[in-house]
Coordinates of all heavy atoms in Angstrom, one line a residue:
M1 N 105.2 91.1 142.0 CA 105.3 92.4 142.6 C 104.8 93.4 141.6 O 104.2 94.4 141.9 CB 106.7 92.6 143.1 CG 107.0 93.9 143.8 SD 106.1 93.8 145.3 CE 106.6 95.4 146.0
V2 N 105.3 93.2 140.4 CA 105.0 94.3 139.3 C 103.5 94.3 139.1 O 103.0 95.4 138.9 CB 105.7 93.9 138.0 CG1 105.3 94.8 136.8 CG2 107.2 94.0 138.2
N3 N 102.8 93.2 139.1 CA 101.4 93.1 139.0 C 100.7 93.8 140.1 O 99.7 94.5 139.8 CB 100.9 91.6 138.8 CG 99.5 91.6 138.4 OD1 98.9 92.6 137.9 ND2 98.9 90.4 138.6
F4 N 101.2 93.7 141.2 CA 100.5 94.3 142.4 C 100.7 95.8 142.3 O 99.8 96.6 142.5 CB 101.2 93.8 143.7 CG 100.7 94.6 144.9 CD1 99.3 94.3 145.4 CD2 101.4 95.5 145.6 CE1 98.9 95.0 146.5 CE2 100.9 96.0 146.8 CZ 99.7 95.7 147.2
V5 N 101.9 96.3 141.9 CA 102.1 97.8 141.7 C 101.2 98.4 140.7 O 100.6 99.4 140.9 CB 103.6 98.0 141.4 CG1 103.8 99.5 141.1 CG2 104.5 97.7 142.6
S6 N 101.1 97.7 139.5 CA 100.2 98.2 138.4 C 98.7 98.1 138.9 O 98.0 99.1 138.5 CB 100.4 97.5 137.1 OG 100.0 96.1 137.3
M7 N 98.4 97.2 139.6 CA 97.0 97.1 140.1 C 96.7 98.2 141.1 O 95.7 98.8 141.1 CB 96.8 95.6 140.8 CG 95.3 95.3 140.9 SD 95.1 93.6 141.2 CE 95.2 93.7 143.0
K8 N 97.7 98.6 142.0 CA 97.6 99.6 142.9 C 97.4 100.9 142.2 O 96.6 101.8 142.6 CB 98.7 99.6 143.8 CG 98.6 100.5 145.1 CD 99.9 100.3 146.0 CE 99.9 101.1 147.2 NZ 101.0 101.0 147.9
N9 N 98.2 101.1 141.2 CA 98.2 102.4 140.4 C 96.8 102.5 139.7 O 96.3 103.6 139.7 CB 99.3 102.5 139.5 CG 100.6 102.8 140.2 OD1 100.6 103.3 141.3 ND2 101.7 102.6 139.6
S10 N 96.4 101.4 139.1 CA 95.1 101.5 138.4 C 93.9 101.7 139.4 O 93.0 102.4 139.0 CB 94.9 100.1 137.5 OG 94.8 99.1 138.5
F11 N 94.0 101.2 140.6 CA 93.1 101.5 141.5 C 93.0 102.9 141.9 O 91.9 103.6 142.0 CB 93.3 100.7 142.8 CG 92.3 100.9 143.8 CD1 91.0 100.4 143.8 CD2 92.6 101.5 145.0 CE1 90.1 100.6 144.7 CE2 91.7 101.8 146.0 CZ 90.4 101.3 145.9
K12 N 94.2 103.5 142.0 CA 94.2 104.9 142.4 C 93.6 105.8 141.2 O 92.8 106.7 141.4 CB 95.6 105.4 142.6 CG 96.2 105.0 143.9 CD 97.6 105.4 144.1 CE 98.3 105.0 145.4 NZ 99.6 105.4 145.5
I13 N 93.9 105.4 140.0 CA 93.4 106.1 138.9 C 91.8 106.0 138.8 O 91.1 107.0 138.5 CB 94.1 105.6 137.6 CG1 95.5 106.0 137.5 CG2 93.3 106.2 136.3 CD1 96.3 105.4 136.4
V14 N 91.4 104.8 139.0 CA 89.8 104.6 139.0 C 89.2 105.4 140.1 O 88.2 106.0 139.9 CB 89.6 103.0 139.0 CG1 88.1 102.8 139.3 CG2 90.0 102.3 137.8
L15 N 89.8 105.4 141.2 CA 89.2 106.1 142.4 C 89.3 107.7 142.1 O 88.3 108.3 142.4 CB 90.1 105.8 143.6 CG 89.6 106.4 144.9 CD1 88.2 105.7 145.3 CD2 90.5 106.1 146.1
F16 N 90.3 108.1 141.5 CA 90.4 109.5 141.2 C 89.3 109.9 140.1 O 88.6 110.9 140.3 CB 91.7 109.9 140.6 CG 91.8 111.4 140.1 CD1 91.9 112.4 140.9 CD2 91.9 111.6 138.8 CE1 92.0 113.7 140.5 CE2 91.9 112.9 138.3 CZ 92.0 113.9 139.2
V17 N 89.2 109.1 139.0 CA 88.1 109.3 138.0 C 86.7 109.3 138.6 O 85.9 110.1 138.3 CB 88.3 108.3 136.9 CG1 87.1 108.4 135.9 CG2 89.7 108.6 136.1
L18 N 86.5 108.3 139.5 CA 85.2 108.2 140.1 C 84.9 109.4 141.0 O 83.8 109.9 140.9 CB 85.1 106.9 141.0 CG 83.8 106.7 141.7 CD1 82.8 106.4 140.7 CD2 84.0 105.5 142.7
A19 N 85.9 109.9 141.8 CA 85.6 111.1 142.6 C 85.4 112.3 141.8 O 84.5 113.2 142.0 CB 86.8 111.2 143.6
F20 N 86.2 112.4 140.7 CA 86.1 113.6 139.9 C 84.7 113.6 139.1 O 84.0 114.5 139.1 CB 87.3 113.6 138.8 CG 87.3 114.9 138.0 CD1 87.7 116.1 138.6 CD2 86.9 114.9 136.7 CE1 87.7 117.3 137.9 CE2 87.0 116.0 136.0 CZ 87.4 117.3 136.6
G21 N 84.3 112.4 138.6 CA 83.0 112.2 138.0 C 81.9 112.6 139.1 O 80.8 113.3 138.6
L22 N 82.0 112.2 140.2 CA 81.0 112.5 141.3 C 80.8 114.0 141.6 O 79.8 114.6 141.8 CB 81.1 111.7 142.5 CG 80.8 110.2 142.5 CD1 81.3 109.5 143.7 CD2 79.3 110.0 142.2
M23 N 82.1 114.7 141.5 CA 82.0 116.1 141.7 C 81.4 116.8 140.6 O 80.7 117.8 140.8 CB 83.5 116.6 141.9 CG 84.1 116.3 143.3 SD 85.7 117.2 143.6 CE 86.8 116.0 142.7
L24 N 81.6 116.4 139.5 CA 80.9 117.0 138.2 C 79.4 116.7 138.2 O 78.6 117.6 137.9 CB 81.6 116.5 137.0 CG 83.0 117.0 136.6 CD1 83.5 116.3 135.3 CD2 83.0 118.5 136.6
I25 N 79.0 115.6 138.6 CA 77.6 115.2 138.6 C 76.8 115.9 139.6 O 75.7 116.4 139.5 CB 77.4 113.7 138.6 CG1 77.9 113.1 137.3 CG2 75.9 113.3 138.9 CD1 77.9 111.6 137.4
A26 N 77.4 116.0 140.8 CA 76.7 116.4 142.0 C 76.9 117.9 142.3 O 76.7 118.4 143.4 CB 77.1 115.7 143.3
R27 N 77.1 118.7 141.3 CA 77.2 120.2 141.5 C 75.9 120.8 141.6 O 75.0 120.5 140.9 CB 78.2 120.8 140.5 CG 77.5 120.7 139.1 CD 78.6 121.1 138.0 NE 77.9 121.0 136.7 CZ 77.9 121.8 135.8 NH1 78.3 123.0 136.0 NH2 77.2 121.6 134.6
Q28 N 75.9 121.9 142.5 CA 74.7 122.6 142.6 C 75.0 124.1 142.8 O 76.2 124.3 143.2 CB 73.9 122.3 143.9 CG 73.3 120.8 143.8 CD 72.6 120.5 145.2 OE1 72.5 121.4 146.1 NE2 71.9 119.4 145.2
P29 N 74.2 125.0 142.4 CA 74.6 126.4 142.4 C 74.7 126.8 143.9 O 73.9 126.4 144.8 CB 73.4 127.1 141.7 CG 72.2 126.1 141.8 CD 72.8 124.7 141.8
A30 N 75.8 127.6 144.1 CA 76.1 128.1 145.4 C 75.3 129.4 145.7 O 75.4 130.4 144.9 CB 77.5 128.3 145.6
V31 N 74.7 129.5 146.9 CA 74.1 130.7 147.3 C 74.8 131.2 148.5 O 74.5 130.8 149.6 CB 72.6 130.5 147.6 CG1 71.8 131.7 148.0 CG2 71.8 129.8 146.4
A32 N 75.9 132.1 148.3 CA 76.8 132.4 149.4 C 76.6 133.7 149.9 O 77.3 134.2 150.7 CB 78.2 132.3 148.8
Q33 N 75.6 134.4 149.4 CA 75.3 135.8 150.0 C 74.3 135.7 151.0 O 73.3 134.9 151.0 CB 74.9 136.7 148.9 CG 75.9 137.0 147.9 CD 75.4 137.9 146.8 OE1 74.2 138.1 146.6 NE2 76.3 138.5 145.9
C34 N 74.4 136.7 152.0 CA 73.2 136.9 153.0 C 72.0 137.3 152.3 O 72.0 137.9 151.2 CB 73.7 137.7 154.1 SG 73.9 139.5 153.6
A35 N 70.9 137.2 153.0 CA 69.6 137.6 152.3 C 69.6 139.1 152.1 O 69.0 139.4 151.0 CB 68.5 137.3 153.4
Q36 N 70.2 139.9 152.8 CA 70.1 141.3 152.6 C 71.0 141.7 151.4 O 70.6 142.5 150.5 CB 70.6 142.1 153.8 CG 70.5 143.6 153.7 CD 71.0 144.4 155.0 OE1 71.5 143.6 155.9 NE2 70.8 145.7 155.0
C37 N 72.1 141.1 151.2 CA 72.9 141.4 150.1 C 72.3 140.9 148.8 O 72.3 141.6 147.8 CB 74.4 140.7 150.2 SG 75.3 141.4 151.7
A38 N 71.7 139.7 148.9 CA 71.1 139.1 147.6 C 69.9 140.0 147.2 O 69.8 140.3 146.0 CB 70.7 137.7 147.9
A39 N 69.2 140.6 148.2 CA 68.1 141.4 147.8 C 68.5 142.7 147.2 O 67.9 143.1 146.2 CB 67.2 141.7 149.0
Q40 N 69.6 143.2 147.8 CA 70.2 144.5 147.3 C 70.7 144.2 145.8 O 70.5 145.1 144.9 CB 71.3 145.0 148.2 CG 71.8 146.3 147.8 CD 70.8 147.5 148.0 OE1 70.0 147.4 148.9 NE2 71.0 148.5 147.2
V41 N 71.3 143.2 145.6 CA 72.0 143.0 144.2 C 70.8 142.7 143.2 O 70.8 143.3 142.1 CB 72.8 141.8 144.2 CG1 73.3 141.3 142.9 CG2 74.1 142.2 145.1
E42 N 69.8 142.1 143.6 CA 68.6 141.9 142.8 C 67.9 143.2 142.4 O 67.6 143.4 141.3 CB 67.6 140.9 143.4 CG 67.4 139.7 142.6 CD 66.4 138.7 143.4 OE1 65.1 139.0 143.3 OE2 66.9 137.8 144.0
T43 N 67.8 143.9 143.4 CA 67.0 145.3 143.2 C 67.9 146.1 142.2 O 67.4 146.8 141.3 CB 66.8 146.0 144.5 OG1 66.1 145.1 145.4 CG2 66.1 147.2 144.2
N44 N 69.2 146.2 142.5 CA 70.1 147.0 141.7 C 70.2 146.4 140.2 O 70.3 147.3 139.3 CB 71.5 147.1 142.3 CG 71.5 148.0 143.5 OD1 70.7 148.9 143.6 ND2 72.5 147.8 144.4
A45 N 70.1 145.2 140.1 CA 70.3 144.6 138.7 C 69.0 144.9 137.9 O 69.1 145.2 136.7 CB 70.5 143.0 138.8
Q46 N 67.9 144.8 138.6 CA 66.6 145.1 137.9 C 66.5 146.6 137.5 O 65.9 146.9 136.5 CB 65.4 144.7 138.8 CG 65.2 143.2 138.8 CD 64.1 142.8 139.8 OE1 63.6 143.7 140.6 NE2 63.9 141.5 139.9
S47 N 67.0 147.4 138.3 CA 66.9 148.9 138.0 C 68.1 149.4 137.1 O 68.0 150.5 136.7 CB 67.0 149.7 139.4 OG 68.4 149.6 140.0
G48 N 68.9 148.5 136.7 CA 70.0 148.8 135.7 C 71.2 149.5 136.3 O 72.0 150.0 135.6
S49 N 71.4 149.4 137.6 CA 72.5 150.0 138.3 C 73.8 149.2 138.0 O 73.7 147.9 137.8 CB 72.2 150.1 139.8 OG 73.3 150.6 140.4
S50 N 74.9 149.7 138.1 CA 76.2 149.1 137.9 C 76.7 148.6 139.3 O 78.0 148.3 139.3 CB 77.2 150.0 137.1 OG 77.5 151.1 137.9
K51 N 76.1 148.7 140.3 CA 76.6 148.3 141.6 C 76.8 146.8 141.7 O 77.6 146.3 142.4 CB 75.7 148.8 142.8 CG 75.6 150.3 143.0 CD 74.8 150.7 144.2 CE 74.8 152.1 144.3 NZ 74.0 152.6 145.4
T52 N 76.1 146.1 140.9 CA 76.3 144.6 141.0 C 77.6 144.2 140.4 O 78.2 143.3 140.8 CB 75.2 144.0 140.1 OG1 75.2 144.4 138.8 CG2 73.8 144.1 140.7
K53 N 78.0 145.0 139.4 CA 79.4 144.7 138.9 C 80.5 145.0 139.9 O 81.5 144.2 140.0 CB 79.6 145.5 137.6 CG 80.9 145.2 136.9 CD 80.9 145.9 135.5 CE 82.2 145.4 134.7 NZ 82.3 146.1 133.4
G54 N 80.3 146.0 140.6 CA 81.2 146.3 141.7 C 81.2 145.3 142.8 O 82.3 144.9 143.3
L55 N 80.1 144.7 143.1 CA 80.0 143.7 144.1 C 80.7 142.4 143.6 O 81.5 141.7 144.4 CB 78.6 143.4 144.4 CG 78.4 142.2 145.6 CD1 79.0 142.7 146.9 CD2 76.9 141.9 145.7
N56 N 80.5 142.1 142.3 CA 81.2 140.9 141.8 C 82.6 141.2 141.7 O 83.4 140.1 142.0 CB 80.6 140.6 140.4 CG 79.2 140.1 140.5 OD1 78.9 139.5 141.4 ND2 78.5 140.2 139.4
N57 N 83.1 142.4 141.4 CA 84.6 142.6 141.4 C 85.2 142.6 142.8 O 86.2 142.0 143.0 CB 84.9 144.0 140.8 CG 84.7 144.0 139.4 OD1 84.7 143.0 138.7 ND2 84.5 145.2 138.8
G58 N 84.4 143.0 143.8 CA 84.9 142.8 145.2 C 85.0 141.3 145.6 O 86.0 141.0 146.3
I59 N 84.1 140.5 145.1 CA 84.1 139.1 145.6 C 85.4 138.5 144.9 O 86.0 137.7 145.5 CB 82.8 138.4 145.1 CG1 81.7 138.8 146.0 CG2 83.0 136.9 145.2 CD1 80.3 138.4 145.5
L60 N 85.6 138.9 143.6 CA 86.8 138.3 142.9 C 88.1 138.8 143.6 O 89.0 138.0 143.7 CB 86.7 138.7 141.4 CG 85.7 138.0 140.7 CD1 85.7 138.5 139.2 CD2 86.0 136.5 140.6
F61 N 88.1 139.9 144.1 CA 89.3 140.6 144.8 C 89.5 139.7 146.1 O 90.6 139.4 146.4 CB 89.1 142.0 145.1 CG 90.2 142.6 145.9 CD1 91.4 142.9 145.4 CD2 90.0 142.9 147.2 CE1 92.4 143.4 146.1 CE2 91.0 143.4 148.0 CZ 92.2 143.7 147.4
L62 N 88.4 139.4 146.8 CA 88.6 138.7 148.0 C 89.0 137.2 147.8 O 89.7 136.6 148.5 CB 87.3 138.8 148.9 CG 86.9 140.2 149.5 CD1 85.6 140.1 150.1 CD2 88.0 140.6 150.5
L63 N 88.5 136.8 146.7 CA 89.0 135.4 146.2 C 90.3 135.3 145.8 O 91.1 134.3 146.2 CB 88.1 134.9 145.1 CG 88.4 133.5 144.5 CD1 88.0 132.5 145.5 CD2 87.7 133.4 143.2
A64 N 90.9 136.3 145.3 CA 92.3 136.4 144.7 C 93.3 136.6 145.8 O 94.5 136.2 145.6 CB 92.4 137.4 143.5
A65 N 93.0 137.2 146.9 CA 94.0 137.6 148.0 C 94.6 136.3 148.6 O 95.8 136.3 148.7 CB 93.2 138.3 149.0
P66 N 94.0 135.3 149.0 CA 94.7 134.1 149.5 C 95.6 133.5 148.4 O 96.7 133.0 148.8 CB 93.5 133.1 149.9 CG 92.3 133.9 150.0 CD 92.5 135.0 149.1
Y67 N 95.2 133.4 147.2 CA 96.0 132.7 146.2 C 97.2 133.6 146.0 O 98.4 133.1 145.7 CB 95.3 132.6 144.9 CG 94.2 131.5 144.9 CD1 92.8 131.8 145.1 CD2 94.6 130.1 145.0 CE1 91.9 130.9 145.1 CE2 93.6 129.2 145.0 CZ 92.3 129.5 145.1 OH 91.2 128.6 145.1
L68 N 97.1 134.9 146.0 CA 98.3 135.7 145.9 C 99.3 135.6 147.0 O 100.4 135.5 146.8 CB 97.8 137.2 145.8 CG 98.9 138.2 145.5 CD1 99.5 137.9 144.1 CD2 98.3 139.7 145.4
A69 N 98.7 135.5 148.3 CA 99.6 135.2 149.4 C 100.2 134.0 149.3 O 101.6 133.9 149.7 CB 98.7 135.4 150.7
V70 N 99.6 133.0 148.9 CA 100.3 131.6 148.8 C 101.3 131.7 147.7 O 102.5 131.1 147.9 CB 99.3 130.5 148.6 CG1 100.0 129.2 148.2 CG2 98.4 130.3 149.8
A71 N 101.1 132.3 146.6 CA 102.1 132.5 145.4 C 103.3 133.2 145.9 O 104.4 132.8 145.6 CB 101.4 133.1 144.3
I72 N 103.1 134.2 146.7 CA 104.3 135.0 147.2 C 105.1 134.2 148.1 O 106.3 134.2 148.1 CB 103.8 136.4 147.8 CG1 103.3 137.3 146.7 CG2 104.9 137.0 148.5 CD1 102.6 138.5 147.2
G73 N 104.4 133.6 149.1 CA 105.2 132.7 150.0 C 105.9 131.5 149.3 O 107.0 131.3 149.7
G74 N 105.3 131.0 148.2 CA 106.0 129.9 147.6 C 107.2 130.4 146.7 O 108.2 129.8 146.8
Y75 N 107.0 131.6 146.2 CA 108.2 132.2 145.5 C 109.3 132.5 146.4 O 110.5 132.3 146.2 CB 107.8 133.5 144.8 CG 108.9 134.3 144.1 CD1 109.3 133.7 142.9 CD2 109.4 135.4 144.5 CE1 110.3 134.4 142.2 CE2 110.5 136.1 143.9 CZ 110.9 135.6 142.8 OH 111.9 136.2 142.1
V76 N 109.0 133.1 147.6 CA 110.1 133.4 148.6 C 110.8 132.1 149.1 O 111.9 132.0 149.3 CB 109.5 134.2 149.8 CG1 110.5 134.3 151.0 CG2 109.1 135.7 149.3
W77 N 110.0 131.1 149.4 CA 110.5 129.9 149.8 C 111.5 129.2 148.7 O 112.4 128.7 149.1 CB 109.4 128.9 150.1 CG 109.8 127.5 150.5 CD1 110.4 127.1 151.7 CD2 109.9 126.4 149.7 NE1 110.7 125.8 151.7 CE2 110.4 125.3 150.5 CE3 109.5 126.1 148.3 CZ2 110.6 124.0 149.9 CZ3 109.7 124.8 147.9 CH2 110.2 123.8 148.5
Y78 N 111.0 129.3 147.5 CA 111.8 128.8 146.3 C 113.1 129.5 146.3 O 114.2 128.9 146.1 CB 111.0 128.9 145.1 CG 111.9 128.5 143.9 CD1 112.2 127.2 143.5 CD2 112.3 129.6 143.0 CE1 112.9 126.9 142.4 CE2 113.1 129.2 141.9 CZ 113.4 127.9 141.6 OH 114.2 127.6 140.5
K79 N 113.0 130.8 146.4 CA 114.3 131.6 146.3 C 115.2 131.3 147.4 O 116.4 131.4 147.3 CB 114.0 133.1 146.1 CG 113.5 133.5 144.8 CD 114.5 133.3 143.7 CE 114.3 134.0 142.5 NZ 115.2 133.9 141.6
K80 N 114.6 131.2 148.7 CA 115.5 131.0 149.8 C 116.2 129.7 150.0 O 117.3 129.6 150.4 CB 114.6 131.3 151.1 CG 115.4 131.4 152.3 CD 114.6 131.8 153.5 CE 115.4 131.7 154.7 NZ 114.6 132.1 155.9
Y81 N 115.4 128.7 149.5 CA 115.9 127.3 149.8 C 116.4 126.4 148.6 O 116.7 125.4 148.7 CB 114.8 126.5 150.5 CG 114.5 126.9 151.9 CD1 113.4 127.6 152.2 CD2 115.4 126.7 152.9 CE1 113.1 128.0 153.5 CE2 115.2 127.1 154.2 CZ 114.1 127.8 154.4 OH 113.7 128.2 155.7
R82 N 116.4 127.1 147.4 CA 117.0 126.3 146.3 C 118.4 126.2 146.4 O 119.1 127.0 146.9 CB 116.5 127.0 145.0 CG 117.3 128.3 144.7 CD 116.9 128.9 143.4 NE 117.5 130.1 143.1 CZ 117.6 130.8 142.2 NH1 117.1 130.2 141.0 NH2 118.3 131.9 142.0
R83 N 119.0 125.2 145.8 CA 120.4 124.9 145.9 C 121.1 125.7 144.7 O 120.8 125.6 143.6 CB 120.6 123.4 145.6 CG 120.0 122.5 146.7 CD 120.4 121.1 146.4 NE 120.7 120.4 147.7 CZ 121.3 119.2 147.7 NH1 121.4 118.5 146.6 NH2 121.6 118.6 148.8
K84 N 122.1 126.3 145.2 CA 122.9 127.1 144.3 C 124.2 126.5 144.0 O 124.7 126.6 142.8 CB 123.0 128.5 144.9 CG 121.8 129.2 145.0 CD 121.9 130.6 145.6 CE 120.7 131.3 145.8 NZ 120.7 132.6 146.5
D85 N 124.9 126.1 145.0 CA 126.3 125.5 144.8 C 126.3 124.0 144.8 O 126.7 123.4 145.8 CB 127.3 126.1 145.8 CG 127.3 127.6 145.7 OD1 127.3 128.2 144.6 OD2 127.4 128.1 146.8
V86 N 125.8 123.4 143.8 CA 125.8 121.9 143.8 C 127.0 121.4 142.9 O 127.2 121.9 141.8 CB 124.4 121.4 143.2 CG1 124.4 119.9 143.0 CG2 123.3 121.9 144.0
K87 N 127.8 120.6 143.6 CA 128.9 120.1 142.9 C 128.7 118.7 142.5 O 128.3 117.8 143.4 CB 130.2 120.2 143.7 CG 130.6 121.6 144.1 CD 131.8 121.6 144.9 CE 132.2 123.1 145.2 NZ 133.4 123.2 146.1
L88 N 128.9 118.3 141.3 CA 128.8 117.0 140.8 C 130.2 116.4 140.5 O 130.8 116.6 139.6 CB 127.9 116.9 139.6 CG 126.5 117.4 139.6 CD1 125.8 117.3 138.3 CD2 125.6 116.5 140.6
D89 N 130.6 115.5 141.5 CA 131.9 114.9 141.5 C 131.7 113.4 140.8 O 131.4 112.6 141.5 CB 132.6 114.8 142.8 CG 132.9 116.1 143.3 OD1 133.2 117.1 142.5 OD2 133.0 116.3 144.6
I90 N 131.9 113.4 139.5 CA 131.7 112.1 138.8 C 133.0 111.5 138.6 O 133.9 112.2 138.1 CB 130.9 112.3 137.6 CG1 129.5 112.9 137.8 CG2 130.7 111.1 136.8 CD1 128.8 113.4 136.6
R91 N 133.1 110.3 138.9 CA 134.3 109.5 138.7 C 134.6 109.3 137.2 O 133.6 109.0 136.5 CB 134.3 108.2 139.5 CG 134.3 108.4 140.9 CD 134.4 107.0 141.6 NE 134.2 107.2 143.0 CZ 134.2 106.1 143.8 NH1 134.2 104.8 143.4 NH2 134.0 106.3 145.1
S92 N 135.8 109.4 136.8 CA 136.2 109.2 135.4 C 136.3 107.7 135.1 O 136.3 107.3 133.9 CB 137.3 109.9 134.9 OG 138.5 109.7 135.8
E93 N 136.6 106.9 136.1 CA 136.8 105.4 135.9 C 135.5 104.7 135.8 O 134.5 105.2 136.2 CB 137.7 104.8 136.9 CG 137.0 104.7 138.3 CD 137.7 105.4 139.4 OE1 138.5 106.2 139.1 OE2 137.3 105.2 140.5
K94 N 135.6 103.5 135.1 CA 134.3 102.8 134.9 C 133.9 102.0 136.3 O 134.8 101.8 137.1 CB 134.6 101.7 133.9 CG 134.7 102.3 132.4 CD 134.9 101.2 131.4 CE 134.9 101.7 130.1 NZ 135.0 100.7 129.0
L95 N 132.7 101.9 136.4 CA 132.1 101.3 137.6 C 131.9 99.8 137.3 O 131.1 99.5 136.4 CB 130.9 102.0 138.0 CG 130.2 101.5 139.3 CD1 131.2 101.8 140.6 CD2 129.0 102.3 139.5
H96 N 132.4 98.9 138.0 CA 132.2 97.5 137.9 C 131.3 97.0 139.0 O 131.6 97.1 140.2 CB 133.6 96.7 137.9 CG 134.5 97.1 136.8 ND1 134.2 96.7 135.5 CD2 135.7 97.8 136.9 CE1 135.3 97.2 134.7 NE2 136.1 97.9 135.6
L97 N 130.1 96.5 138.6 CA 129.1 96.0 139.6 C 129.3 94.5 139.8 O 128.6 94.1 140.6 CB 127.8 96.3 139.0 CG 127.5 97.9 138.9 CD1 126.1 98.0 138.2 CD2 127.6 98.6 140.2
N98 N 130.1 93.8 139.1 CA 130.2 92.4 139.4 C 131.3 92.1 140.4 O 132.3 92.5 140.5 CB 130.6 91.6 138.1 CG 129.4 91.7 137.1 OD1 128.5 92.5 137.4 ND2 129.6 91.1 136.0

């Protein structure tokens, strides 16, 4: 049984390393802007305008909003459902298992 458990865990580790390695190898640059936005950013960047920095900051703001919402929800859940009055009643006599 012990051999089976260690084999099962090693299989999970190998599978995780393989999946992670494939993610690193198969990465490609993302082109997530529409054609009009991409053209506008390219034109502004070539002319030396600082509007591209504002667009990048806006993208980061939109990216951070869901993470912030999940963090606040997790904090509220932790505060609401954590155990406060836990009593540990441990017997003072010895426990005989035989």
Side-chain angles (χ1 to χ4, degrees):
M1 183 71 176
V2 174
N3 190 15
F4 177 72
V5 172
S6 66
M7 200 165 89
K8 190 175 179 181
N9 286 339
S10 63
F11 179 72
K12 286 181 183 179
I13 292 170
V14 167
L15 188 63
F16 174 76
V17 169
L18 180 66
F20 188 71
L22 286 174
M23 281 190 276
L24 288 177
I25 291 171
R27 62 188 176 128
Q28 291 184 357
V31 183
Q33 294 179 342
C34 65
Q36 185 177 5
C37 295
Q40 185 69 27
V41 168
E42 237 178 82
T43 305
N44 285 334
Q46 288 174 356
S47 68
S49 178
S50 63
K51 289 183 181 179
T52 56
K53 189 173 183 177
L55 181 64
N56 287 335
N57 288 339
I59 291 170
L60 290 176
F61 175 75
L62 290 173
L63 177 71
Y67 289 106
L68 186 62
V70 169
I72 290 171
Y75 179 75
V76 168
W77 177 78
Y78 172 75
K79 283 294 194 181
K80 186 174 180 180
Y81 291 107
R82 71 177 175 163
R83 293 180 140 190
K84 295 178 184 174
D85 299 327
V86 177
K87 295 180 182 178
L88 296 175
D89 294 328
I90 299 174
R91 296 180 182 177
S92 59
E93 71 240 12
K94 290 184 178 181
L95 185 63
H96 298 289
L97 297 175
N98 294 5

